[in-house]
Amino acid sequence: MKNLIHIGRSKSARASAVLFVVTGLIACGVAEHPHDTQPLAVNNDFAPLGGTGMLPQAGGVATGGVVSAAGTATSAGQGGVITTAGGGANGGGAGVPSAGGASTAGGPPSGITINLGGVEVPKEKAIAFIHVGHSNMAGRATKPAASRPFHFTETNPHAYMYHVGSMPALAIEPKTAGDSAAAGPGTALVKEAAMMAPNYYFISLGYGQPSAYCSQFIPSGLYYNQLIAAAKSIKGRVTFGGIFIYLGITERHGSDADRTGFANCINTLVTAIRNDVGEPNLPAVMNDYEVEGTGEFVVGGAVANAIRPQIAMCPTVVKTFALVSAQGLGMQDDHHFNLDGHRTWVQRALMTFKQNGWAPWAP
């Protein structure tokens, strides 16, 4: 909150301002996470705010998100697609035409735009995906060779990535979520979405950390500030479209409590992200167990037996949430997806969004 106080004020004025802000927060029942906050426009990553709309206050972003009631999860068995613990959505979105001429259903336009590649894109047409996870998310995929152009060299003019400290850029691997030489799902995610909905723009907000497990990603853990930084910086300029998670298999690096408490941990992580972007019903998906894993990761082995039941519980604990099958995905090694595996998983994840009514941008 210190950014709301002018540096030139006297100590007494600053103290009064702080007391006013804190009192106001308590009166409204608002509680912030105990991590560093990052207000809008603290860097030079964006062009001046386009349009005539005013920036929303922190926590007050209105983006036409998804509203759904908690329901009952169902499973399709080994590697099968798991349906959500609460589906359904309203139309959401505001009626701002995109560069392609389409418009979303809903209330009046915000008037806010974000500059992507020289195009002033209405906030309602700029869909940001938050994706986070272990080394599979950071990226380990390098093959098959025939699939490399899609991930490493070919770009889509409606598919972007953003990291704090640089302007949004066309999405390309290995740059979406942290690795230096291989691909994760980030580029495929925004490119596949752009092909699905060519009148919209999509932005990857990715963060991967090799070998990390869920409790290291939540606000009290090691990596939450890093994974949420881009989303907090771009908040107010985009419409958040969803959360995509790769976790589960790395819980073997944690304690018994990390494994038995996995579903609750995922709920804590998803809830924290939703709170920080101001979207309490933002849809989220996660990979089901990597059933194509071999060696120590094989189905029926100790690693799988310890975590698969906990993964299966997640849709019953987390609202507006689904698991996406990893069955039949191409593998880079004994537990990482290859380029085709990432792309297939992303296609399944986006179809899950569409089937559950979580993608008002999808035709």
Side-chain angles (χ1 to χ4, degrees):
M1 307 303 294
K2 65 182 180 181
N3 296 287
L4 299 176
I5 304 170
H6 295 298
I7 295 175
R9 291 182 179 176
S10 66
K11 291 183 179 179
S12 60
R14 291 197 299 269
S16 297
V18 171
L19 180 60
F20 174 79
V21 171
V22 171
T23 303
L25 287 175
I26 293 173
C28 295
V30 176
E32 293 192 351
H33 294 300
H35 51 270
D36 295 337
T37 58
Q38 183 175 11
L40 284 167
V42 297
N43 50 46
N44 296 316
D45 295 351
F46 308 105
L49 194 70
T52 59
M54 298 295 291
L55 278 175
Q57 298 298 313
V61 179
T63 60
V66 173
V67 177
S68 80
T72 303
T74 60
S75 170
Q78 176 178 321
V81 175
I82 310 297
T83 58
T84 70
N90 62 19
V96 178
S98 74
S103 62
T104 56
S110 67
I112 296 173
T113 64
I114 183 171
N115 190 287
L116 297 175
V119 178
E120 291 297 329
V121 180
K123 167 186 169 180
E124 292 79 8
K125 291 292 183 178
I127 311 299
F129 292 145
I130 300 165
H131 52 104
V132 58
H134 47 46
S135 55
N136 236 344
M137 182 62 69
R140 290 293 183 269
T142 61
K143 61 184 183 183
S147 299
R148 288 183 63 86
F150 178 85
H151 299 266
F152 289 94
T153 59
E154 299 170 358
T155 57
N156 184 303
H158 284 218
Y160 279 77
M161 60 184 175
Y162 170 64
H163 300 288
V164 175
S166 60
M167 294 178 65
L170 291 172
I172 204 75
E173 295 300 332
K175 300 178 181 180
T176 58
D179 210 331
S180 59
T187 294
L189 176 61
V190 289
K191 287 179 68 176
E192 288 288 343
M195 289 186 285
M196 179 185 292
N199 289 323
Y200 288 78
Y201 287 71
F202 296 87
I203 305 166
S204 153
L205 307 177
Y207 181 80
Q209 187 62 235
S211 299
Y213 42 96
C214 181
S215 63
Q216 295 178 316
F217 285 107
I218 62 176
S220 60
L222 295 173
Y223 304 120
Y224 187 78
N225 285 347
Q226 293 96 312
L227 75 88
I228 201 65
K232 290 175 71 175
S233 184
I234 207 170
K235 178 181 175 181
R237 296 174 179 266
V238 298
T239 296
F240 290 103
I243 304 168
F244 299 77
I245 300 171
Y246 276 179
L247 280 175
I249 204 167
T250 45
E251 301 307 302
R252 70 189 190 280
H253 297 305
S255 65
D256 286 342
D258 283 307
R259 288 179 285 277
T260 58
F262 180 71
N264 287 328
C265 184
I266 292 296
N267 188 45
T268 298
L269 172 61
V270 170
T271 300
I273 294 172
R274 288 169 171 167
N275 288 342
D276 271 332
V277 301
E279 290 291 346
N281 297 296
L282 187 64
V285 295
M286 187 179 75
N287 59 288
D288 200 356
Y289 185 76
E290 290 94 321
V291 293
E292 302 301 334
T294 58
E296 68 173 309
F297 307 103
V298 69
V299 171
V303 172
N305 289 345
I307 198 61
R308 286 191 77 192
Q310 310 307 319
I311 292 173
M313 288 176 58
C314 289
T316 68
V317 174
V318 189
K319 67 177 181 179
T320 323
F321 183 91
L323 297 176
V324 179
S325 172
Q327 189 169 30
L329 297 186
M331 303 296 289
Q332 177 75 24
D333 52 36
D334 61 355
H335 65 297
H336 295 110
F337 305 145
N338 67 13
L339 298 172
D340 292 345
H342 282 304
R343 188 173 180 181
T344 300
W345 189 87
V346 160
Q347 291 169 343
R348 292 175 181 177
L350 292 173
M351 186 55 62
T352 298
F353 269 63
K354 184 174 180 178
Q355 290 173 343
N356 282 285
W358 298 343
W361 41 265

